[in-house]
């Protein structure tokens, strides 16, 4: 995986942390990093800490479980940093890095659907599925 010169998006799920990933990417020579966290202020504060000449870092609030938020992240990253090379998901049980080398420079609606599928698979890898309670038990809670 080539990091030098790459534009990276890090999406943080509740219970996860993108701080280590962001620090690793900026230290490894990424061209730019966008950090998205579900909690307001977390990504923005981290971006302020890590932003530097040669590697701008942008922080936004967003939830990659929502297709509209993924579309907004893509638009924001492309507007401020350029085409995305790596899309990362940091969850409570680990992290997953998806290379977008096979996707075109600009994500149209069809390619955005492919990205959403990759992000969904990545989320499944970093979040342990919760057992479902029987309907009767759930109704009593």
């Amino acid at each position: 995986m080539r990091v030098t010169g790459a534009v990276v998006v890090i999406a943080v799920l509740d219970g996860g942390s993108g701080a280590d990933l962001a620090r690793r990417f900026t230290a490894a020579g990424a061209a730019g990093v966008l950090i998205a966290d579900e909690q307001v202020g977390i990504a923005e504060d981290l971006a302020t800490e890590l932003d530097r000449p040669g590697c701008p870092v942008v922080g936004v609030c967003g939830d990659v479980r929502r297709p509209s938020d993924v579309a907004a992240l893509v638009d924001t990253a492309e507007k401020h940093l350029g085409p995305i090379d790596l899309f990362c998901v940091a969850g409570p049980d680990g992290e997953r890095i998806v290379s977008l080398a096979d996707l075109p420079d600009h994500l149209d609606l069809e390619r955005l659907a492919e990205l959403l599928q990759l992000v969904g698979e990545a989320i499944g890898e970093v979040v342990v599925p919760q057992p479902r309670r029987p309907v009767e038990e759930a109704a009593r809670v």
Side-chain angles (χ1 to χ4, degrees):
M1 170 180 53
R2 187 176 151 269
V3 173
T4 303
V7 170
V8 181
V9 170
I10 301 170
V12 181
L13 301 174
D14 192 34
S17 172
D20 285 341
L21 270 176
R23 286 186 179 92
R24 290 193 322 240
F25 283 122
T26 56
V33 177
L34 182 137
I35 306 161
D37 197 300
E38 296 175 330
Q39 297 181 19
V40 176
I42 301 293
E44 295 88 338
D45 290 347
L46 184 58
T48 299
E49 174 191 331
L50 297 177
D51 188 57
R52 61 180 170 76
C55 183
V57 181
V58 177
V60 297
C61 184
D63 182 353
V64 293
R65 293 181 185 119
R66 287 186 258 176
S68 61
D69 282 13
V70 173
L73 293 178
V74 169
D75 287 343
T76 301
E78 289 183 342
K79 177 181 175 185
H80 294 283
L81 307 171
I84 301 166
D85 298 299
L86 302 171
F87 199 107
C88 312
V89 177
D93 298 307
E95 56 195 42
R96 171 78 158 80
I97 301 170
V98 177
S99 174
L100 302 187
D102 297 332
L103 297 178
D105 287 345
H106 179 71
L107 294 172
D108 58 22
L109 289 178
E110 183 178 320
R111 294 300 187 169
L112 182 58
E114 291 178 32
L115 175 59
L116 289 169
Q117 181 179 348
L118 291 172
V119 169
E121 291 169 4
I123 291 170
E125 291 180 20
V126 300
V127 177
V128 175
Q130 300 298 314
R132 292 190 169 196
R133 296 184 301 199
V135 175
E136 309 81 46
E137 182 183 333
R140 283 182 273 151
V141 176

